[in-house]
Amino acid sequence: MSTAIDSPTTSTPVVAEGPDSGRARARRGESATGWAFAAPFAVLFVLFLVVPAVYGLVLSFTGQTLTGSGGKLIGFANYAEALQDPDMWRSLGNTVWFTLLSTIPLVVLSFAFALLVNLGLPGRWLWRLSFFLPYLLASTVVVMFWSWMYNPKLGLVNGVLAEFGIAPVAWLQDPNVAMISVVVTTLWWTIGFNFLLYLAALQNIPEQQFEAAAIDGAGKWRQLFSIVIPQLAPTTALILTLQILASLKVFDQIYMLTNGGPAGSTRSIVQYIYESGFTGYRFGYSSAISYLFFAIIVLVSIAQYKLINRRSRY
């Protein structure tokens, strides 16, 4: 009599999905959503920044002209010519001089104006509007306004000087004062942005710090140097960095006020790049100068970054 032995049946165990896999799926979904939102910007960034930058770098190694000729590679010939070009060095010197003349007043005066408004002057909204409103104007409007102001015969500036018995000055035609005139116009036009940054930083300083300092006997000047200036150090570093970079890239107000004159005394390096490419028809050469200037800006930015980091450690 035979006995049938039933073989045990095997079944596949069902593994429950743990919380880790659910979180991983959620992270993948969030990552996909983030890339979907970033994709339009990434496409525009590549098309309008990366591609032109790479194309400009390739052009700098060619003799390309505005007419389309001379597109063959010529190596570092454009860079060698630029380094020996006295007009390029003079334009770069004018740019550095403008940066030195404009950066310090734009930082110091905006800080002083922000302090005055933050003290609680009557009509603070009017002061804020007065300081910031010129920043909203287009460069063409600013240039037209100051061109009238600087007019040697009918301008308001010379009219005020005449009241004190001072002879008229050719503000935009004299090489000795033309750059100063451009700097004054730039101060009036752009100081409002730095002013607002400083004012916002001042209003974020806790009032308790000033009250505690006053209880300890610290006067206003002591509070300024022991509380306000140290607290605003990051804002000052930001403003200084932005201002230097903006001043190095100056173009529109100089080009419209003086067109780089008189005798090239105010021509900036950006204007020289423009003239080399669109007036001299040398795209390859202008691209080489622009990349040399870009290298200078990168070096300045790195130096500022290291200097700011070194100071923040102490």
Side-chain angles (χ1 to χ4, degrees), residues 31 49 52 66 74-75 80 88 93 117 130 142 183 187 202 276 288 306 312:
S31 178
L49 188 63
L66 186 62
I74 58 174
M88 192 277 288
V117 173
S130 300
V142 173
V183 169
L187 288 176
L202 281 170
S276 298
K306 290 186 176 181
S312 63

Side-chain angles (χ1 to χ4, degrees), residues 205-243:
I205 299 178
E207 189 65 29
Q208 293 83 355
Q209 296 186 14
F210 298 103
E211 295 175 356
I215 293 174
D216 291 338
K220 294 297 182 181
W221 287 105
R222 185 63 180 173
Q223 293 177 21
L224 174 65
F225 289 100
S226 298
I227 298 177
V228 176
I229 294 180
Q231 292 274 7
L232 295 185
T235 304
T236 301
L238 172 65
I239 291 175
L240 191 62
T241 301
L242 294 177
Q243 192 57 60

